[in-house]
């Protein structure tokens, strides 16, 4: 389905609806609006899809699976001499 590209990007936010949105979505008085703005691109980076979804925060929840990122290397360690030097020296990995 479609052309492969970068993974879609979704921005999720909430805010109070405009009067028209409240009427169109039949939102209860005082209910915030949830919005998902999803953008997909092709391999060259051109936008090929934009999906702007708005819904009642009183009626819906949004959930996504989270994929863990690779572990980060441990922080650089510096000797006391390096830390107190007038001009900070690079750690052994950065020299």
């Amino acid at each position: 389905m479609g052309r492969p590209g970068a993974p879609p990007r979704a921005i999720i936010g909430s805010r109070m609806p405009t009067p028209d949105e409240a009427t169109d979505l039949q939102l209860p008085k005082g209910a915030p609006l949830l919005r998902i703005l999803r953008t997909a691109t092709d391999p060259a980076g051109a936008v090929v899809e934009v999906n702007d979804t708005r819904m009642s925060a009183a009626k819906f929840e949004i959930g996504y699976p989270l994929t863990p990122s690779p572990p980060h290397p441990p922080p650089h360690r510096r000797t006391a001499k390096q830390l107190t030097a007038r001009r900070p020296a690079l750690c052994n990995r950065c020299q």
Side-chain angles (χ1 to χ4, degrees):
M1 179 172 153
R3 298 175 287 188
R9 179 178 178 195
I11 299 172
I12 302 170
S14 65
R15 61 175 171 78
M16 295 309 293
T18 65
D20 286 341
E21 289 170 330
T23 301
D24 292 345
L25 296 172
Q26 301 176 357
L27 299 178
K29 186 174 178 87
L33 179 83
L34 287 175
R35 181 182 184 207
I36 305 170
L37 182 60
R38 182 180 179 275
T39 307
T41 59
D42 68 11
V47 174
V48 294
E49 176 189 349
V50 175
N51 183 335
D52 189 351
T53 304
R54 297 162 197 225
M55 63 194 83
S56 168
K59 298 178 183 178
F60 297 94
E61 292 180 346
I62 301 170
Y64 285 96
L66 298 177
T67 305
S69 60
H72 296 287
H76 291 357
R77 301 214 181 246
R78 295 193 173 121
T79 66
K81 184 178 178 182
Q82 289 172 324
L83 292 172
T84 58
R86 185 168 267 232
R87 184 169 177 216
L90 297 174
C91 70
N92 293 336
R93 284 194 294 180
C94 296
Q95 292 179 2

